[in-house]
Amino acid sequence: DKLFQIAPNPTTGLVQMDFAENSIKEYKVYDATGRVLIQQKVSYTNYETVDLSHLANGTYFIEVLSDEQNSIKRIVLSK
């Protein structure tokens, strides 16, 4: 999937998302049960940093929504 990349993965808290296009509108972070933990609008930029350090260790999913498509990536938080 080329819509966005995340690093580092696994992470200790801060995650850099690099977007392949400027049409990203928002991102969401979900837990393993599908509950939305973070929902943030994005101002049509090429990157965004998200802070997961307040969450418990575990596996999460980051969904990026653009004008034309959505994409989800798995991330592991290990502090």
Side-chain angles (χ1 to χ4, degrees), residues 40-53:
Q40 182 68 46
K41 299 280 186 202
V42 176
S43 298
Y44 295 98
T45 182
N46 289 328
Y47 66 92
E48 187 81 15
T49 301
V50 59
D51 186 0
L52 305 178
S53 63

Side-chain angles (χ1 to χ4, degrees), residues 30-64:
Y30 300 89
D31 66 12
T33 67
R35 185 173 47 133
V36 177
L37 304 174
I38 300 170
Q39 183 170 357
Q40 182 68 46
K41 299 280 186 202
V42 176
S43 298
Y44 295 98
T45 182
N46 289 328
Y47 66 92
E48 187 81 15
T49 301
V50 59
D51 186 0
L52 305 178
S53 63
H54 64 285
L55 301 174
N57 285 349
T59 300
Y60 296 91
F61 298 89
I62 299 178
E63 179 181 29
V64 168

Side-chain angles (χ1 to χ4, degrees):
D1 184 349
K2 303 208 184 327
L3 186 60
F4 77 110
Q5 300 298 319
I6 53 176
N9 191 9
T11 183
T12 57
L14 289 179
V15 177
Q16 175 79 28
M17 296 184 291
D18 294 312
F19 306 131
E21 54 187 70
N22 290 14
S23 63
I24 305 301
K25 296 188 296 189
E26 72 176 306
Y27 66 87
K28 298 177 184 179
V29 177
Y30 300 89
D31 66 12
T33 67
R35 185 173 47 133
V36 177
L37 304 174
I38 300 170
Q39 183 170 357
Q40 182 68 46
K41 299 280 186 202
V42 176
S43 298
Y44 295 98
T45 182
N46 289 328
Y47 66 92
E48 187 81 15
T49 301
V50 59
D51 186 0
L52 305 178
S53 63
H54 64 285
L55 301 174
N57 285 349
T59 300
Y60 296 91
F61 298 89
I62 299 178
E63 179 181 29
V64 168
L65 295 86
S66 78
D67 290 330
E68 287 138 23
Q69 61 182 323
N70 299 354
S71 179
I72 297 177
K73 292 192 184 294
R74 182 177 66 90
I75 188 150
V76 175
L77 176 61
S78 180
K79 298 183 268 186

